[in-house]
Amino acid sequence: MKIIGLGKGIPKECVTNDQLSEFLDTNDEWIVSRTGIKTRYVCVGETLTDLSATAATDALNKANLSAKDIDLIICTTICGDYCTPSLACCIAERINARCPAFDINAACTGFIYALELADGFIRVGKYKNILIVSAEKMSAKVDWNDRNTCVLFGDGAAACVVTEGESVKYINLSSSATPNTEVLNMPNGTGNSPFAAEKKQNEYLNMQGQKVFKFVVNIVEAELKLMTERTGITPEQIDRFLLHQANKRIIDYTLARLKQPAEKFPCNIERYGNLSSASVPLLLTEMTETGQVKAGDTLLLCAFGGGLTAGTCVMTIDS
Ligand code: UT7
């Protein structure tokens, strides 16, 4: 499999840390030093379908394809505009695609899970051109009274078109064996069921930050070690490590453990915050647009999050 087009869709409204401190007990110094985040984009009038359709159209244009050339749409999201129709179906309607379309939920790891699925479909010859859209509207999912979480996330979408090719060399997916529901979750409620023993409303995202942080730094190290064992590719042979943009300190910790230079770990967390499953593909899109990822480069993509899940992909960039 190879990527032949990348695109993005970002809301207009950019919110600074200082704006948050106008209604929340927080400050720019805390947010920047603990996370690396300076701003995030949030939807004001845009729907997630709007952002996703923009990203999808951008990716299709870059791939020189139209919607009718797409055989399957896979969306990764925990924030779809509807429970049903899926975000993938909303995008299909908007861009006028007539192919199967569905969403998957692997939280922040979604994009790597989607790559694995797409790779499988393409390998068995079921579909040729697949559109993957990773899109999140976290502003609708966090509690804006909870400074532990709301300062971390943002809204945005990224898309890619994949087709037959040889650039994806390795994908590994994992989910933690131990129960981890309590450290990172977003509970659904009971609706107005007259039969539910205990009535529960839908709740906002809950995260025990330090516990997740520990899981993440360990799983990223384990994922990278496994990748080297299975492929023989060493960290020195990777040109760019595109890690999920959850916290700049996680990225700094990883590059120090691997003894690799900081230039190999590009970041956009300072502008976007944590975009859940859209973080890695948005970073890939921007690195490609700015020429920081170029033909011949070997990339390692690694994402992690709710589940707790993790996933790693190694790919080369074709000319
Ligand atoms: O994308 C899914 C995967 N998610 C992650 O990978 C996130 C992993 N976790 C993290 O990145 C970090 O744990 C956080 C950024 C979430 C938190 O950083 P931390 O260094 O672990 O801080 P903490 O939660 O231990 O909080 C330290 C202090 C607390 O005050 P006390 O108890 O020491 O008095 C918090 O109440 O900082 C306080 N605090 C804040 N202060 C100002 C928490 N949030 C804020 C805030 N502004 N926004």
Side-chain angles (χ1 to χ4, degrees):
M1 185 172 79
K2 67 177 176 185
I3 293 178
I4 53 171
L6 286 156
K8 64 181 179 183
I10 305 298
K12 287 195 188 67
E13 185 76 9
C14 183
V15 176
T16 64
N17 293 339
D18 285 341
Q19 282 175 274
L20 299 185
S21 59
E22 285 168 18
F23 63 88
L24 202 62
D25 180 15
T26 190
N27 55 74
D28 182 62
E29 196 281 325
W30 190 96
I31 301 173
V32 172
S33 63
R34 297 285 178 134
T35 71
I37 299 165
K38 293 181 181 162
T39 60
R40 75 284 296 139
Y41 289 82
V42 298
C43 293
V44 177
E46 304 96 334
T47 65
L48 196 56
T49 305
D50 294 334
L51 303 185
S52 303
T54 302
T57 306
D58 190 11
L60 285 168
N61 289 340
K62 302 266 177 50
N64 281 321
L65 294 179
S66 70
K68 69 174 172 22
D69 301 313
I70 295 298
D71 305 309
L72 175 69
I73 301 175
I74 304 174
C75 249
T76 76
T77 190
I78 53 172
C79 310
D81 290 325
Y82 303 91
C83 220
T84 186
S86 65
L87 182 59
C89 286
C90 294
I91 296 166
E93 181 182 45
R94 187 71 72 83
I95 67 173
N96 210 13
R98 294 276 183 273
C99 58
F102 62 88
D103 291 357
I104 60 165
N105 170 359
C108 306
T109 317
F111 181 66
I112 312 290
Y113 273 65
L115 287 177
E116 172 88 310
L117 267 176
D119 189 44
F121 281 128
I122 289 171
R123 268 177 206 279
V124 298
K126 179 79 185 170
Y127 301 114
K128 186 165 176 269
N129 299 320
I130 300 178
L131 173 66
I132 299 173
V133 183
S134 297
E136 308 286 7
K137 187 173 170 178
M138 296 301 290
S139 63
K141 298 294 177 185
V142 294
D143 178 356
W144 287 94
N145 298 309
D146 177 12
R147 67 178 187 174
N148 291 290
T149 51
C150 73
V151 305
L152 306 172
F153 294 92
D155 302 340
C160 74
V161 181
V162 292
T163 193
E164 294 156 330
E166 299 295 324
S167 44
V168 171
K169 309 293 181 202
Y170 169 85
I171 302 179
N172 183 63
L173 305 179
S174 62
S175 66
S176 174
T178 51
N180 282 301
T181 307
E182 77 277 9
V183 300
L184 181 50
N185 63 50
M186 201 190 317
N188 285 327
T190 53
N192 69 349
S193 166
F195 304 105
E198 193 191 345
K199 303 269 181 285
K200 282 193 182 156
Q201 299 299 316
N202 282 2
E203 283 176 34
Y204 299 113
L205 180 135
N206 304 298
M207 183 168 70
Q208 296 175 20
Q210 286 195 5
K211 288 189 181 161
V212 177
F213 193 101
K214 277 186 197 133
F215 163 81
V216 165
V217 291
N218 289 327
I219 195 71
V220 171
E221 206 171 347
E223 281 281 334
L224 299 183
K225 194 161 164 271
L226 188 67
M227 183 280 297
T228 295
E229 279 166 16
R230 288 192 178 162
T231 63
I233 301 170
T234 62
E236 288 68 29
Q237 292 170 296
I238 302 287
D239 296 298
R240 293 283 182 270
F241 294 81
L242 274 56
L243 301 193
H244 173 43
Q245 304 286 292
N247 190 326
K248 181 73 166 61
R249 285 190 289 140
I250 294 170
I251 296 162
D252 291 343
Y253 179 91
T254 306
L255 70 90
R257 295 286 293 182
L258 290 178
K259 301 189 175 62
Q260 293 297 300
E263 310 82 79
K264 281 191 173 191
F265 288 74
C267 290
N268 59 10
I269 188 173
E270 68 282 2
R271 283 179 290 136
Y272 295 109
N274 183 342
L275 292 179
S276 188
S277 72
S279 277
V280 166
L282 179 64
L283 185 60
L284 178 60
T285 302
E286 294 201 324
M287 291 300 110
T288 308
E289 280 172 358
T290 56
Q292 291 176 73
V293 160
K294 52 188 188 318
D297 280 351
T298 300
L299 310 183
L300 181 137
L301 280 46
C302 184
F304 42 80
L308 298 168
T309 55
T312 302
C313 171
V314 176
M315 64 171 74
T316 52
I317 298 296
D318 293 341
S319 50

